[in-house]
Amino acid sequence: MFKHSCGAVVTKTFAFRFSLLAATAAALPVTLHAQAGQPEDLLPQRAQIEGEAVDVEDDAVATDSVERQLDAIAEKKDPAVQVWSVASAQELLSIVEGMGAEGLKPADYEPAKLRAAIAAGQGDELNMVASRTFAWVVEDLRDGRTPMTARKQWFVFDPDQDRYPTARLMAQALEGGSIDAALQRIMPEHPDYAALRDALGSATTPARRKLIQANMDRWRWLPRDLGSQYLITNVPEYQLRLTVNDTIVRTYKTVVGKPGRTATPQLAESIEGVVFNPTWTVPQSIVQGEGLGAKVLNNPTWAKNNGYAATRGENGWVTVVQQPGPDNSLGLMKLHMPNRHAIFFHDTPSKHYFNSANRALSHGCIRTERASELAMTLAILRAGKTADEAAAIQKTGEYTLVPFKQQMPAYITYFTMAKDIEGKLRTFNDIYGRDAAVLESFEKARVANRSRVTDEQVIPIENDPRDTA
C-alpha cells in the first residue's frame, strides 16, 4: 500500500577514550555538529494551525480546553465532512483494503459501507462516509490504534495531531488528488518501523504477527519526527543509543527500574544539560525510614568518610545530601532532565551490574554504562565545550551544571520486538508485562475518539541508586 524510503540503521563502533575525546568527536558525522544549534521542536509550547496559535501547557499535556480550541480552528478552516469524488473514494477504499500491511485491520474501517457509498455515486452520503473513513485511517496511522487505557505507564505526549490535523490533511489529500501521498506524511519514518512492516509480511505464526502488530503500533505512539539528534533507550533491551538522523553513533548498556512500583515509565523529555560530579539528595524514606539521618548526625566521622552531610531544619526535619565523589550513588554525572516523574540518566559506582543479563534492578532511574564518556560527548556536541574543558570540569570534583545551547530530546521507550544495537530484528523479554493490554486491544473493536494522554497516576520515583539490588 505505502511506499517506504527509510534507510537502514548503521551501528558504528568507536575506540573511545578520554584522551582521544576531541579527535573522536571531530570524527562523528558532520550533522552532529552542524545541527547541534538547531532547535528541537518536539514538545512544542504552542501548537500552530494555519497561522492561529493555541496555548499548550508547559508540560506538553493538552487539556480539554486546548483540544476544543484546536478542533474549532480546524473545523473552521477545513470541515470534518468534505467533498469527495468517486475516484478519490476508490483510492481510499484500496488503502483500507490494504491496511493489513500496516498491522491494522481493514474491517475496523467498515469498507462495505464505503463500497456501497461509492456505488451510489457522488453526493452527501459518499462525502460523509468517505470523510469518516479517512478520519479513522488517519487517527490509527498517526496516533496508533491502541487506546490510552492499554498503554501502561505511557506518558509520552505526541504532537502529531497538532502538526497534521485530520481535516487539514483531508483537504490536502483531496486538493492534491492523492490520498496515499497525504497519508505518507503521517507514517512513522523511523527505519525500525519499516523493518517491522517487512517482518509482518513474512510472519508465519499468529503469535509473531500479533507481536509485530503491537510493536508497530508503539512507533505510532511516538512523534513521527524524533529530531535530528536524540537519545533513545528501549527499556527491555537495556541499551541507550545516541542517534543522529535515525542512525546510531553510540550505544551504552543500561540498568532500568525493577518491575512493580519502581518500573521505569515511558517518557519523551528534554535534556537541558549535563551535571558533572552530582550530589544526591537522599529520599526521606531512607533518611527517616532507614535511620540514615540520625546516623549521619550522630557519627560525623562515618558521615564524612562516606560523603554525607546532614542539616536539621527548625521544624526538626533532617535533610541528607551525599557529596560529589567516586562513591556518590549517582556516580560522576547525571543528565539534567527535569520532569514530573523524577526520572533521569546517571552514572553509578556499581559497574558490575552492566555485566548482568537481567538489568531491571534500579529504583526507576536509568543507570548508564560509560556515563562519563556520554557526559563529555554531550558537553562537546550540545554545550560547545572542548574535550579538554569537559575533562577539566569533571576533574575538579565539584558539582557543575553545564547547560546545553539547545535542549536535546530523550525518549524512554518500551518495545518487545525491535532492531537491536547490531541492526537485527529481535524479541525482548516483556519485563513489565505491558504486551498483554496492547495485544488484547487488537482483539477488540476499534475505539474512536480516544484520549491522547494517559490518566494514569504519576509516581515520582524516590530514586535510590545505591547498590541495593
Side-chain angles (χ1 to χ4, degrees), residues 246-266:
D246 297 328
T247 298
I248 302 169
V249 296
R250 291 282 190 279
T251 63
Y252 307 88
K253 292 179 181 179
T254 61
V255 173
V256 302
K258 299 176 185 178
R261 181 178 174 83
T262 58
T264 301
Q266 276 52 79

Side-chain angles (χ1 to χ4, degrees), residues 33-69:
H33 302 279
Q35 296 174 1
Q38 295 180 5
E40 304 287 357
D41 185 25
L42 298 182
L43 300 175
Q45 299 304 304
R46 300 179 70 81
Q48 199 79 16
I49 297 182
E50 293 294 294
E52 298 200 36
V54 177
D55 287 332
V56 177
E57 289 185 349
D58 287 344
D59 62 359
V61 177
T63 62
D64 288 343
S65 62
V66 171
E67 291 290 343
R68 287 194 293 271
Q69 291 179 63

Side-chain angles (χ1 to χ4, degrees), residues 341-373:
H341 308 264
I343 294 293
F344 53 91
F345 300 87
H346 67 82
D347 188 15
T348 175
S350 303
K351 311 294 187 187
H352 60 284
Y353 285 127
F354 293 119
N355 297 323
S356 301
N358 173 19
R359 297 198 291 275
L361 303 169
S362 82
H363 282 67
C365 284
I366 300 176
R367 306 176 193 176
T368 306
E369 178 194 37
R370 305 189 335 273
S372 290
E373 172 191 312

Side-chain angles (χ1 to χ4, degrees), residues 65-125:
S65 62
V66 171
E67 291 290 343
R68 287 194 293 271
Q69 291 179 63
L70 293 171
D71 290 344
I73 292 172
E75 182 72 17
K76 178 175 66 176
K77 295 185 175 297
D78 300 295
V81 177
Q82 300 182 25
V83 177
W84 284 75
S85 67
V86 169
S88 292
Q90 285 280 14
E91 183 185 0
L92 177 61
L93 178 60
S94 295
I95 290 171
V96 167
E97 291 172 338
M99 289 291 276
E102 301 299 330
L104 298 170
K105 300 192 296 186
D108 281 341
Y109 313 102
E110 300 181 351
K113 290 184 178 180
L114 180 57
R115 196 174 293 111
I118 291 171
Q122 192 166 3
D124 291 345
E125 180 68 11

Side-chain angles (χ1 to χ4, degrees), residues 198-210 212 417:
D198 292 343
L200 184 68
S202 59
T204 57
T205 66
R208 181 173 175 82
R209 181 176 179 83
K210 290 176 181 179
I212 294 172
M417 182 178 286

Side-chain angles (χ1 to χ4, degrees), residues 281-317:
T281 300
V282 184
Q284 287 300 311
S285 61
I286 300 171
V287 174
Q288 295 189 55
E290 298 182 17
L292 181 64
K295 185 174 184 179
V296 172
L297 290 171
N298 296 330
N299 298 273
T301 301
W302 177 89
K304 182 179 180 180
N305 291 339
N306 287 275
Y308 290 108
T311 56
R312 186 189 296 275
E314 294 181 359
N315 61 357
W317 194 269

